[in-house]
Amino acid sequence: MAALMVAVTAASPADAAKAAESAQSGATADIARTVETVFRIESARIIAGVARIVRDVGLAEELAQDALVTALERWPESGVPNNPGAWLMATAKHRAIDLVRRKETYARKLAEVGRALEDVSPPDPADLAGIAEDIDDDLLRLIFTACHPVLSTQARVALTLRLLGGLTTEEIARAFLVPEPTVAQRIVRAKRTLAKAEVPFEVPYGDDRTARLSSVLEVIYLVFNEGYSATTGDDLVRPALCEDALRLARVLAGLLPQEPEVHGLVSLLEFQSSRIAARTGPGGEPVLLADQNRTKWNRLLIRRGVEALQRAGQGPYSLQAAIAACHARAIRYEDTDWTAIAALYGRLTALTPSPVVELNRAVAVAMAEGPAAGLKLVEALAEEPALKDYHLLPSVRGDLLERLGRHEEARAEFARAAALTRNARERALLLERSSG
Protein backbone atom coordinates (compact mmCIF):
# COMPACT_ATOMS: atom_id res chain seq x y z
CA MET A 1 0.00 0.00 0.00
CA ALA A 2 2.86 2.31 0.81
CA ALA A 3 4.38 1.71 -2.63
CA LEU A 4 1.02 2.45 -4.24
CA MET A 5 0.75 5.75 -2.34
CA VAL A 6 4.18 6.79 -3.60
CA ALA A 7 3.26 5.90 -7.14
CA VAL A 8 0.07 7.95 -6.95
CA THR A 9 1.59 11.09 -5.43
CA ALA A 10 4.99 11.27 -7.15
CA ALA A 11 5.29 13.86 -9.92
CA SER A 12 6.61 12.89 -13.34
CA PRO A 13 9.75 14.61 -14.72
CA ALA A 14 7.54 16.44 -17.21
CA ASP A 15 5.26 17.70 -14.44
CA ALA A 16 8.27 18.84 -12.44
CA ALA A 17 9.64 20.69 -15.45
CA LYS A 18 6.31 22.40 -16.00
CA ALA A 19 6.11 23.39 -12.34
CA ALA A 20 9.63 24.80 -12.43
CA GLU A 21 8.86 26.67 -15.66
CA SER A 22 5.66 28.07 -14.13
CA ALA A 23 7.52 29.20 -11.01
CA GLN A 24 10.23 30.83 -13.13
CA SER A 25 7.58 32.57 -15.21
CA GLY A 26 5.85 33.84 -12.08
CA ALA A 27 9.12 35.12 -10.65
CA THR A 28 9.93 36.90 -13.91
CA ALA A 29 6.49 38.51 -13.93
CA ASP A 30 6.97 39.66 -10.33
CA ILE A 31 10.32 41.24 -11.21
CA ALA A 32 8.81 42.90 -14.28
CA ARG A 33 6.12 44.47 -12.08
CA THR A 34 8.82 45.60 -9.64
CA VAL A 35 10.81 47.21 -12.45
CA GLU A 36 7.77 49.03 -13.79
CA THR A 37 6.73 50.22 -10.33
CA VAL A 38 10.21 51.52 -9.50
CA PHE A 39 10.45 53.22 -12.87
CA ARG A 40 7.09 54.89 -12.40
CA ILE A 41 8.25 56.30 -9.08
CA GLU A 42 11.77 57.26 -10.17
CA SER A 43 11.28 58.17 -13.84
CA ALA A 44 11.08 61.94 -13.30
CA ARG A 45 14.33 61.96 -11.31
CA ILE A 46 16.07 59.71 -13.85
CA ILE A 47 14.98 61.86 -16.80
CA ALA A 48 16.02 65.00 -14.92
CA GLY A 49 19.45 63.60 -14.08
CA VAL A 50 20.07 62.47 -17.65
CA ALA A 51 18.74 65.71 -19.17
CA ARG A 52 21.43 67.63 -17.28
CA ILE A 53 24.00 65.63 -19.26
CA VAL A 54 22.43 65.53 -22.73
CA ARG A 55 20.54 68.86 -22.48
CA ASP A 56 17.54 67.40 -24.33
CA VAL A 57 14.44 66.16 -22.47
CA GLY A 58 13.28 64.03 -25.39
CA LEU A 59 16.60 62.23 -25.61
CA ALA A 60 16.73 61.97 -21.83
CA GLU A 61 13.40 60.17 -21.78
CA GLU A 62 14.63 57.73 -24.42
CA LEU A 63 17.73 56.95 -22.38
CA ALA A 64 15.63 56.46 -19.26
CA GLN A 65 13.47 54.00 -21.21
CA ASP A 66 16.65 52.20 -22.33
CA ALA A 67 17.59 51.77 -18.68
CA LEU A 68 14.14 50.32 -18.02
CA VAL A 69 14.60 47.78 -20.84
CA THR A 70 18.03 46.85 -19.47
CA ALA A 71 16.55 46.24 -16.04
CA LEU A 72 13.84 44.04 -17.52
CA GLU A 73 16.56 41.99 -19.24
CA ARG A 74 19.03 41.70 -16.35
CA TRP A 75 17.09 41.68 -13.10
CA PRO A 76 15.35 38.32 -13.69
CA GLU A 77 18.86 36.78 -13.79
CA SER A 78 20.81 38.92 -11.32
CA GLY A 79 17.95 39.77 -8.96
CA VAL A 80 16.55 43.15 -7.95
CA PRO A 81 19.38 45.38 -6.62
CA ASN A 82 19.24 46.80 -3.10
CA ASN A 83 18.65 50.30 -4.49
CA PRO A 84 16.74 49.80 -7.75
CA GLY A 85 16.17 53.53 -8.30
CA ALA A 86 19.89 54.26 -8.05
CA TRP A 87 20.62 51.34 -10.41
CA LEU A 88 18.28 52.77 -13.04
CA MET A 89 19.72 56.27 -12.57
CA ALA A 90 23.31 55.05 -12.91
CA THR A 91 22.49 52.95 -15.97
CA ALA A 92 20.71 55.79 -17.73
CA LYS A 93 23.49 58.27 -16.93
CA HIS A 94 26.14 55.81 -18.12
CA ARG A 95 24.30 55.47 -21.45
CA ALA A 96 24.07 59.25 -21.67
CA ILE A 97 27.83 59.58 -21.17
CA ASP A 98 28.51 56.97 -23.86
CA LEU A 99 26.24 58.88 -26.22
CA VAL A 100 27.95 62.20 -25.56
CA ARG A 101 31.37 60.64 -26.03
CA ARG A 102 30.34 59.26 -29.41
CA LYS A 103 29.41 62.69 -30.69
CA GLU A 104 31.87 64.96 -32.42
CA THR A 105 30.90 67.74 -30.01
CA TYR A 106 32.08 65.74 -27.01
CA ALA A 107 34.72 68.26 -25.97
CA ARG A 108 32.24 71.13 -25.92
CA LYS A 109 29.65 69.08 -24.09
CA LEU A 110 32.21 67.95 -21.56
CA ALA A 111 33.15 71.56 -20.86
CA GLU A 112 29.47 72.49 -20.39
CA VAL A 113 28.67 69.60 -18.12
CA GLY A 114 31.93 69.78 -16.17
CA ARG A 115 32.43 67.22 -13.47
CA ALA A 116 28.90 65.86 -13.93
CA LEU A 117 30.27 63.27 -16.37
CA GLU A 118 33.27 62.35 -14.28
CA ASP A 119 31.16 61.63 -11.21
CA VAL A 120 29.12 58.91 -12.92
CA SER A 121 30.38 55.36 -13.29
CA PRO A 122 28.73 52.20 -14.61
CA PRO A 123 26.26 50.63 -12.20
CA ASP A 124 27.82 48.22 -9.73
CA PRO A 125 25.17 46.26 -7.79
CA ALA A 126 27.56 45.94 -4.83
CA ASP A 127 27.93 49.71 -4.49
CA LEU A 128 24.55 51.09 -5.52
CA ALA A 129 23.12 51.06 -2.01
CA GLY A 130 25.61 53.72 -0.96
CA ILE A 131 25.04 56.13 -3.87
CA ALA A 132 23.75 59.50 -2.70
CA GLU A 133 22.03 61.29 -5.58
CA ASP A 134 21.58 65.01 -5.20
CA ILE A 135 18.95 65.42 -7.88
CA ASP A 136 16.68 68.14 -6.48
CA ASP A 137 18.18 70.78 -8.77
CA ASP A 138 17.85 68.48 -11.77
CA LEU A 139 14.21 67.77 -10.97
CA LEU A 140 13.51 71.48 -10.63
CA ARG A 141 15.17 72.10 -14.00
CA LEU A 142 12.95 69.44 -15.56
CA ILE A 143 9.80 71.03 -14.10
CA PHE A 144 10.68 74.45 -15.49
CA THR A 145 11.61 72.96 -18.87
CA ALA A 146 8.43 70.88 -19.27
CA CYS A 147 6.31 73.93 -18.37
CA HIS A 148 8.21 76.41 -20.53
CA PRO A 149 5.99 79.18 -21.98
CA VAL A 150 7.30 78.45 -25.48
CA LEU A 151 4.93 75.46 -25.43
CA SER A 152 1.16 75.64 -25.78
CA THR A 153 -0.91 75.02 -22.66
CA GLN A 154 -2.03 71.61 -23.91
CA ALA A 155 1.54 70.64 -24.72
CA ARG A 156 2.79 71.75 -21.29
CA VAL A 157 0.11 69.70 -19.57
CA ALA A 158 0.78 66.56 -21.63
CA LEU A 159 4.57 66.80 -21.32
CA THR A 160 4.43 67.46 -17.58
CA LEU A 161 2.21 64.44 -16.94
CA ARG A 162 4.45 62.32 -19.16
CA LEU A 163 7.85 63.36 -17.77
CA LEU A 164 6.99 64.30 -14.20
CA GLY A 165 3.81 62.40 -13.52
CA GLY A 166 5.10 59.17 -15.01
CA LEU A 167 1.85 58.64 -16.93
CA THR A 168 1.82 56.74 -20.19
CA THR A 169 0.42 58.33 -23.34
CA GLU A 170 -2.60 56.05 -23.03
CA GLU A 171 -3.23 57.14 -19.44
CA ILE A 172 -3.04 60.85 -20.34
CA ALA A 173 -5.41 60.35 -23.25
CA ARG A 174 -7.86 58.47 -21.06
CA ALA A 175 -7.69 61.13 -18.34
CA PHE A 176 -8.51 63.96 -20.75
CA LEU A 177 -10.81 61.93 -23.01
CA VAL A 178 -8.85 62.64 -26.18
CA PRO A 179 -7.47 60.17 -28.75
CA GLU A 180 -4.14 58.62 -27.83
CA PRO A 181 -2.50 59.68 -31.14
CA THR A 182 -3.43 63.28 -30.33
CA VAL A 183 -1.62 63.13 -27.00
CA ALA A 184 1.37 61.38 -28.59
CA GLN A 185 1.62 64.13 -31.23
CA ARG A 186 1.45 66.85 -28.57
CA ILE A 187 4.29 65.28 -26.64
CA VAL A 188 6.46 64.75 -29.72
CA ARG A 189 5.84 68.31 -30.93
CA ALA A 190 6.59 69.67 -27.46
CA LYS A 191 9.97 67.92 -27.35
CA ARG A 192 10.82 69.19 -30.84
CA THR A 193 9.77 72.71 -29.93
CA LEU A 194 12.00 72.72 -26.87
CA ALA A 195 14.94 71.43 -28.91
CA LYS A 196 14.36 73.87 -31.78
CA ALA A 197 14.03 76.82 -29.40
CA GLU A 198 17.20 75.64 -27.63
CA VAL A 199 15.46 76.03 -24.28
CA PRO A 200 18.23 75.79 -21.66
CA PHE A 201 17.93 73.05 -19.08
CA GLU A 202 18.18 75.36 -16.09
CA VAL A 203 16.34 76.99 -13.21
CA PRO A 204 15.53 80.60 -14.17
CA TYR A 205 16.32 83.50 -11.88
CA GLY A 206 15.18 87.09 -11.45
CA ASP A 207 12.17 88.38 -13.38
CA ASP A 208 12.26 85.39 -15.72
CA ARG A 209 11.87 83.05 -12.76
CA THR A 210 8.63 84.77 -11.68
CA ALA A 211 7.10 84.43 -15.13
CA ARG A 212 8.25 80.85 -15.56
CA LEU A 213 7.04 79.84 -12.10
CA SER A 214 3.62 81.22 -12.99
CA SER A 215 3.57 78.86 -16.00
CA VAL A 216 4.49 75.89 -13.80
CA LEU A 217 1.77 76.66 -11.26
CA GLU A 218 -0.78 77.12 -14.04
CA VAL A 219 -0.05 73.66 -15.47
CA ILE A 220 -0.45 71.96 -12.09
CA TYR A 221 -3.64 73.93 -11.41
CA LEU A 222 -5.12 73.01 -14.80
CA VAL A 223 -4.40 69.31 -14.26
CA PHE A 224 -6.07 69.42 -10.85
CA ASN A 225 -9.12 71.31 -12.11
CA GLU A 226 -9.71 68.81 -14.89
CA GLY A 227 -9.75 66.09 -12.25
CA TYR A 228 -11.86 68.07 -9.78
CA SER A 229 -14.52 69.16 -12.26
CA ALA A 230 -14.15 67.37 -15.56
CA THR A 231 -15.05 69.47 -18.57
CA THR A 232 -16.18 66.47 -20.63
CA GLY A 233 -17.21 62.85 -20.26
CA ASP A 234 -19.48 60.84 -17.99
CA ASP A 235 -17.70 61.46 -14.67
CA LEU A 236 -17.82 64.68 -12.69
CA VAL A 237 -14.60 63.88 -10.82
CA ARG A 238 -11.40 62.10 -11.89
CA PRO A 239 -9.53 61.61 -8.59
CA ALA A 240 -6.38 60.23 -10.21
CA LEU A 241 -5.68 63.55 -11.94
CA CYS A 242 -6.23 65.41 -8.67
CA GLU A 243 -3.76 63.10 -6.95
CA ASP A 244 -1.15 63.62 -9.69
CA ALA A 245 -1.49 67.40 -9.50
CA LEU A 246 -1.35 67.47 -5.70
CA ARG A 247 1.75 65.27 -5.69
CA LEU A 248 3.48 67.57 -8.20
CA ALA A 249 2.53 70.61 -6.13
CA ARG A 250 3.97 69.03 -2.99
CA VAL A 251 7.19 68.14 -4.82
CA LEU A 252 7.48 71.71 -6.08
CA ALA A 253 6.93 73.10 -2.58
CA GLY A 254 9.72 70.87 -1.30
CA LEU A 255 12.04 72.13 -4.04
CA LEU A 256 11.07 75.80 -3.65
CA PRO A 257 10.30 76.20 0.06
CA GLN A 258 10.85 79.99 -0.08
CA GLU A 259 8.18 80.64 -2.74
CA PRO A 260 4.95 81.69 -0.94
CA GLU A 261 2.71 81.23 -3.97
CA VAL A 262 3.81 77.61 -4.36
CA HIS A 263 2.55 76.98 -0.83
CA GLY A 264 -0.61 78.88 -1.76
CA LEU A 265 -1.25 76.41 -4.59
CA VAL A 266 -0.51 73.43 -2.34
CA SER A 267 -2.92 74.79 0.27
CA LEU A 268 -5.66 75.29 -2.32
CA LEU A 269 -5.28 71.77 -3.71
CA GLU A 270 -5.21 70.22 -0.22
CA PHE A 271 -8.47 71.97 0.69
CA GLN A 272 -10.14 71.08 -2.62
CA SER A 273 -8.97 67.48 -2.43
CA SER A 274 -10.47 67.17 1.05
CA ARG A 275 -13.98 67.53 -0.43
CA ILE A 276 -13.72 65.11 -3.35
CA ALA A 277 -15.39 62.16 -1.58
CA ALA A 278 -18.46 64.29 -0.81
CA ARG A 279 -18.84 65.86 -4.27
CA THR A 280 -20.66 62.91 -5.83
CA GLY A 281 -23.45 60.60 -4.74
CA PRO A 282 -23.57 56.78 -4.87
CA GLY A 283 -24.34 56.83 -8.58
CA GLY A 284 -21.72 59.43 -9.45
CA GLU A 285 -24.26 62.25 -9.56
CA PRO A 286 -23.08 65.75 -8.47
CA VAL A 287 -23.79 66.82 -4.90
CA LEU A 288 -23.99 70.59 -4.48
CA LEU A 289 -21.88 72.25 -1.78
CA ALA A 290 -24.97 73.04 0.32
CA ASP A 291 -25.98 69.36 0.32
CA GLN A 292 -22.61 67.72 0.91
CA ASN A 293 -22.07 65.46 3.91
CA ARG A 294 -19.22 67.30 5.59
CA THR A 295 -18.30 64.31 7.72
CA LYS A 296 -16.88 62.90 4.47
CA TRP A 297 -14.47 65.80 4.15
CA ASN A 298 -10.92 64.60 4.76
CA ARG A 299 -9.74 66.30 7.95
CA LEU A 300 -6.09 65.32 7.39
CA LEU A 301 -6.04 67.12 4.04
CA ILE A 302 -7.74 70.11 5.64
CA ARG A 303 -5.02 70.24 8.31
CA ARG A 304 -2.38 70.07 5.62
CA GLY A 305 -4.15 72.87 3.78
CA VAL A 306 -4.10 75.03 6.89
CA GLU A 307 -0.37 74.36 7.40
CA ALA A 308 0.45 75.27 3.81
CA LEU A 309 -1.71 78.40 4.02
CA GLN A 310 0.40 79.62 6.91
CA ARG A 311 3.39 79.66 4.55
CA ALA A 312 1.47 81.18 1.62
CA GLY A 313 1.51 84.77 0.46
CA GLN A 314 -1.04 87.14 -1.07
CA GLY A 315 -1.01 85.89 -4.65
CA PRO A 316 -3.98 84.50 -6.62
CA TYR A 317 -3.55 80.89 -5.50
CA SER A 318 -3.04 81.98 -1.89
CA LEU A 319 -6.25 84.02 -1.98
CA GLN A 320 -8.18 81.10 -3.47
CA ALA A 321 -6.73 78.91 -0.72
CA ALA A 322 -7.98 81.41 1.88
CA ILE A 323 -11.45 81.17 0.31
CA ALA A 324 -11.31 77.38 0.43
CA ALA A 325 -10.25 77.62 4.08
CA CYS A 326 -13.44 79.56 4.87
CA HIS A 327 -15.48 76.63 3.54
CA ALA A 328 -13.31 74.10 5.40
CA ARG A 329 -13.81 75.89 8.73
CA ALA A 330 -17.61 75.80 8.45
CA ILE A 331 -19.00 72.76 10.25
CA ARG A 332 -22.36 73.34 8.53
CA TYR A 333 -23.14 75.07 5.25
CA GLU A 334 -25.12 77.64 7.22
CA ASP A 335 -21.97 78.54 9.19
CA THR A 336 -20.05 79.67 6.10
CA ASP A 337 -18.61 83.18 6.39
CA TRP A 338 -19.85 84.47 3.05
CA THR A 339 -18.95 88.06 3.88
CA ALA A 340 -15.30 87.09 4.28
CA ILE A 341 -15.45 85.02 1.09
CA ALA A 342 -16.95 87.94 -0.88
CA ALA A 343 -14.18 90.22 0.43
CA LEU A 344 -11.49 87.72 -0.58
CA TYR A 345 -12.99 87.44 -4.07
CA GLY A 346 -12.90 91.24 -4.24
CA ARG A 347 -9.18 91.19 -3.50
CA LEU A 348 -8.69 88.41 -6.05
CA THR A 349 -10.56 90.41 -8.71
CA ALA A 350 -8.38 93.44 -8.01
CA LEU A 351 -5.24 91.31 -8.28
CA THR A 352 -6.17 89.27 -11.36
CA PRO A 353 -9.28 90.71 -13.09
CA SER A 354 -11.30 87.86 -14.56
CA PRO A 355 -14.98 87.41 -15.47
CA VAL A 356 -14.91 83.93 -13.93
CA VAL A 357 -13.62 85.32 -10.62
CA GLU A 358 -16.27 88.05 -10.79
CA LEU A 359 -18.95 85.40 -11.31
CA ASN A 360 -17.72 83.59 -8.21
CA ARG A 361 -17.78 86.88 -6.31
CA ALA A 362 -21.38 87.36 -7.39
CA VAL A 363 -22.29 84.01 -5.80
CA ALA A 364 -20.59 85.01 -2.54
CA VAL A 365 -22.27 88.43 -2.55
CA ALA A 366 -25.65 86.75 -3.15
CA MET A 367 -25.09 84.56 -0.11
CA ALA A 368 -23.88 87.45 2.04
CA GLU A 369 -26.29 90.20 0.92
CA GLY A 370 -29.13 88.38 -0.81
CA PRO A 371 -29.89 87.03 -4.31
CA ALA A 372 -30.87 90.44 -5.73
CA ALA A 373 -27.41 91.86 -5.01
CA GLY A 374 -25.75 88.84 -6.60
CA LEU A 375 -28.03 88.92 -9.65
CA LYS A 376 -27.09 92.53 -10.30
CA LEU A 377 -23.43 91.50 -10.60
CA VAL A 378 -24.33 88.52 -12.79
CA GLU A 379 -26.38 90.67 -15.16
CA ALA A 380 -23.34 92.90 -15.64
CA LEU A 381 -21.48 89.84 -16.97
CA ALA A 382 -24.16 88.87 -19.49
CA GLU A 383 -22.34 90.39 -22.48
CA GLU A 384 -18.88 89.29 -21.42
CA PRO A 385 -17.35 87.51 -24.50
CA ALA A 386 -15.27 85.14 -22.34
CA LEU A 387 -18.45 83.78 -20.71
CA LYS A 388 -20.48 83.41 -23.90
CA ASP A 389 -20.29 79.60 -23.86
CA TYR A 390 -19.58 79.19 -20.15
CA HIS A 391 -22.36 77.05 -18.73
CA LEU A 392 -21.91 78.28 -15.16
CA LEU A 393 -23.10 81.80 -16.08
CA PRO A 394 -26.70 80.73 -16.87
CA SER A 395 -26.49 78.14 -14.09
CA VAL A 396 -25.69 80.79 -11.47
CA ARG A 397 -28.27 83.14 -12.94
CA GLY A 398 -30.88 80.36 -12.80
CA ASP A 399 -30.09 79.67 -9.17
CA LEU A 400 -30.46 83.33 -8.20
CA LEU A 401 -33.69 83.71 -10.18
CA GLU A 402 -35.10 80.63 -8.46
CA ARG A 403 -34.27 82.09 -5.05
CA LEU A 404 -36.09 85.26 -6.07
CA GLY A 405 -39.19 83.25 -6.98
CA ARG A 406 -38.84 83.82 -10.74
CA HIS A 407 -39.19 80.12 -11.49
CA GLU A 408 -40.00 80.18 -15.21
CA GLU A 409 -36.96 82.33 -15.97
CA ALA A 410 -34.83 80.10 -13.75
CA ARG A 411 -35.87 76.95 -15.60
CA ALA A 412 -34.98 78.56 -18.92
CA GLU A 413 -31.52 79.43 -17.60
CA PHE A 414 -30.94 75.90 -16.34
CA ALA A 415 -31.93 74.52 -19.75
CA ARG A 416 -29.49 76.90 -21.45
CA ALA A 417 -26.74 75.84 -19.08
CA ALA A 418 -27.46 72.16 -19.77
CA ALA A 419 -27.06 72.80 -23.49
CA LEU A 420 -23.65 74.41 -22.95
CA THR A 421 -21.99 71.91 -20.62
CA ARG A 422 -20.00 68.99 -22.07
CA ASN A 423 -20.11 66.95 -18.88
CA ALA A 424 -22.87 64.35 -18.78
CA ARG A 425 -23.30 64.46 -14.99
CA GLU A 426 -23.66 68.23 -14.89
CA ARG A 427 -26.06 68.14 -17.83
CA ALA A 428 -28.32 65.65 -16.06
CA LEU A 429 -28.43 67.81 -12.93
CA LEU A 430 -29.20 70.99 -14.89
CA LEU A 431 -31.90 69.29 -16.95
CA GLU A 432 -33.48 68.04 -13.74
CA ARG A 433 -33.53 71.57 -12.35
CA SER A 434 -34.92 72.95 -15.61
CA SER A 435 -37.88 70.59 -15.42
CA GLY A 436 -38.56 71.17 -11.73
Side-chain angles (χ1 to χ4, degrees), residues 6-51:
V6 170
V8 170
T9 57
S12 69
D15 289 339
K18 288 181 180 179
E21 183 179 347
S22 177
Q24 178 65 30
S25 176
T28 301
D30 288 342
I31 291 177
R33 283 192 292 270
T34 299
V35 174
E36 291 168 4
T37 299
V38 171
F39 186 78
R40 179 105 177 204
I41 295 170
E42 300 290 341
S43 61
R45 294 180 177 85
I46 296 169
I47 293 169
V50 174

Side-chain angles (χ1 to χ4, degrees), residues 320-345:
Q320 290 181 72
I323 292 168
C326 289
H327 290 296
R329 293 189 189 102
I331 303 301
R332 302 176 305 158
Y333 181 76
E334 295 77 13
D335 300 329
T336 307
D337 189 347
W338 290 105
T339 300
I341 291 176
L344 286 166
Y345 270 123

Side-chain angles (χ1 to χ4, degrees), residues 38-52 60-61 63-65 67-68 84-93 135 138-139 142 163:
V38 171
F39 186 78
R40 179 105 177 204
I41 295 170
E42 300 290 341
S43 61
R45 294 180 177 85
I46 296 169
I47 293 169
V50 174
R52 176 161 54 90
E61 186 186 13
L63 291 168
Q65 292 286 346
L68 172 65
W87 193 100
L88 289 169
M89 175 73 84
T91 299
K93 282 188 173 183
I135 50 79
D138 290 339
L139 191 57
L142 183 61
L163 298 182

Side-chain angles (χ1 to χ4, degrees), residues 126-290:
D127 299 331
L128 283 176
I131 292 179
E133 297 286 355
D134 183 12
I135 50 79
D136 282 359
D137 286 345
D138 290 339
L139 191 57
L140 195 55
R141 291 185 185 101
L142 183 61
I143 291 173
F144 276 103
T145 302
C147 298
H148 197 283
V150 73
L151 302 175
S152 69
T153 299
Q154 291 179 329
R156 277 182 277 156
V157 168
L159 192 61
T160 297
L161 288 175
R162 175 71 174 148
L163 298 182
L164 295 159
L167 274 65
T168 65
T169 303
E170 180 185 1
E171 288 170 330
I172 299 170
R174 188 166 60 245
F176 285 89
L177 301 182
V178 294
E180 187 175 347
T182 300
V183 173
Q185 289 171 6
R186 287 176 186 169
I187 294 173
V188 169
R189 284 197 297 266
K191 294 174 182 175
R192 288 176 180 168
T193 299
L194 292 173
K196 184 177 180 181
E198 297 183 347
V199 172
F201 188 69
E202 64 183 16
V203 177
Y205 294 94
D207 294 339
D208 187 35
R209 181 187 181 114
T210 301
R212 294 275 296 280
L213 180 59
S214 175
S215 176
V216 172
L217 297 179
E218 179 191 23
V219 168
I220 296 175
Y221 184 63
L222 287 173
V223 172
F224 183 88
N225 265 2
E226 185 58 32
Y228 190 73
S229 186
T231 55
T232 59
D234 297 328
D235 299 315
L236 178 70
V237 178
R238 297 175 193 152
L241 275 182
C242 294
E243 292 169 5
D244 285 326
L246 181 54
R247 179 173 57 82
L248 287 174
R250 289 171 178 167
V251 168
L252 189 62
L255 296 173
L256 295 173
Q258 303 305 317
E259 293 287 350
E261 195 60 355
V262 175
H263 295 292
L265 179 62
V266 171
S267 176
L268 173 61
L269 302 194
E270 299 280 10
F271 282 130
Q272 298 292 73
S273 295
S274 73
R275 304 204 297 258
I276 288 178
R279 294 194 70 236
T280 55
E285 67 278 6
V287 179
L288 300 176
L289 182 62

